[in-house]
């Protein structure tokens, strides 16, 4: 069921400890609201609405996803925001399991997610599309905090996730 890897995935896929820290730090900032994008764009809201960045992140992801594949909305059996919370929660879990990439627990969790999504009608290309969209959205959300080393870490992350069979 594993899809073909996008061209932007490094070969070979390697996740170093530094990359894992970069992934965890940047994801924490997206999910907990500390990005420069939001500090700059919405300074009055900083600290007032803790989950605003995560809601905006998954909303943006899904908006681009549905623009590319409108029929995919049928796979969302839960409400939009509930589905977004599930997305963020699943991502939290994968990122929290990263200190030991390719461990049995991480691989099994990714397989379980893939199987569950397959049962909803997801195809391998949907995951590649999601990864591609993610890479664009995180760049925008991280703003001036986005670096080439962060991009490499996320490309490697997606290479690892998409390689799980």
């Amino acid at each position: 069921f594993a899809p073909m890897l996008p061209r932007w995935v490094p070969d070979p896929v390697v996740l170093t400890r530094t990359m894992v820290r970069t992934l965890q730090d940047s994801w924490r900032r997206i999910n907990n609201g500390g990005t420069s994008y939001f500090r700059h764009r919405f300074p009055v809201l900083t600290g007032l609405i803790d989950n605003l960045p995560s809601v905006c992140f998954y909303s943006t992801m899904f908006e681009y996803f549905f623009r590319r594949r409108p029929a995919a909305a049928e796979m969302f059996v839960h409400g939009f925001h509930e589905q977004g919370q599930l997305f963020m929660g699943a991502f939290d879990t994968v990122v929290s399991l990263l200190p030991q990439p390719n461990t049995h627990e991480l691989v099994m969790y990714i397989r379980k997610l893939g199987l569950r999504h397959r049962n909803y009608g997801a195809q391998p290309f949907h995951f590649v599309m999601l990864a591609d969209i993610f890479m664009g959205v995180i760049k925008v959300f991280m703003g001036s905090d986005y670096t080439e080393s962060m991009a490499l870490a996320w490309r490697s992350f997606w290479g690892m996730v998409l390689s799980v069979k």
Side-chain angles (χ1 to χ4, degrees), residues 32-161:
N32 293 334
T35 68
S36 62
Y37 174 84
F38 282 95
R39 286 193 306 268
H40 175 71
R41 294 262 175 136
F42 309 106
V44 104
L45 297 178
T46 302
L48 297 177
I49 303 174
D50 292 337
N51 68 346
L52 177 65
S54 66
V55 171
C56 288
F57 190 83
Y58 71 71
S59 296
T60 303
M61 291 276 303
F62 294 161
E63 177 184 345
Y64 284 114
F65 190 79
F66 295 142
R67 278 187 194 172
R68 288 191 188 177
R69 202 73 174 174
E74 296 171 13
M75 290 186 280
F76 278 45
V77 296
H78 304 287
F80 180 81
H81 291 291
E82 183 179 346
Q83 198 72 42
Q85 295 298 324
L86 291 169
F87 172 83
M88 299 303 278
F91 233 85
D92 276 345
T93 300
V94 172
V95 171
S96 73
L97 292 170
L98 281 177
Q100 298 85 32
N102 300 318
T103 62
H104 181 73
E105 186 178 8
L106 176 60
V107 171
M108 292 308 293
Y109 185 77
I110 293 169
R111 279 186 188 147
K112 184 175 132 184
L113 277 175
L115 181 59
R116 187 172 29 193
H117 284 80
R118 193 161 132 189
N119 290 337
Y120 291 125
Q123 298 295 314
F125 72 89
H126 289 120
F127 298 103
V128 173
M129 187 172 31
L130 182 72
D132 191 46
I133 291 167
F134 181 95
M135 291 303 298
V137 172
I138 198 163
K139 182 177 183 177
V140 170
F141 271 65
M142 293 307 295
S144 61
D145 295 338
Y146 190 78
T147 63
E148 186 53 41
S149 61
M150 185 183 294
L152 178 59
W154 281 110
R155 288 193 308 265
S156 298
F157 166 85
W158 280 105
M160 184 261 318
V161 168

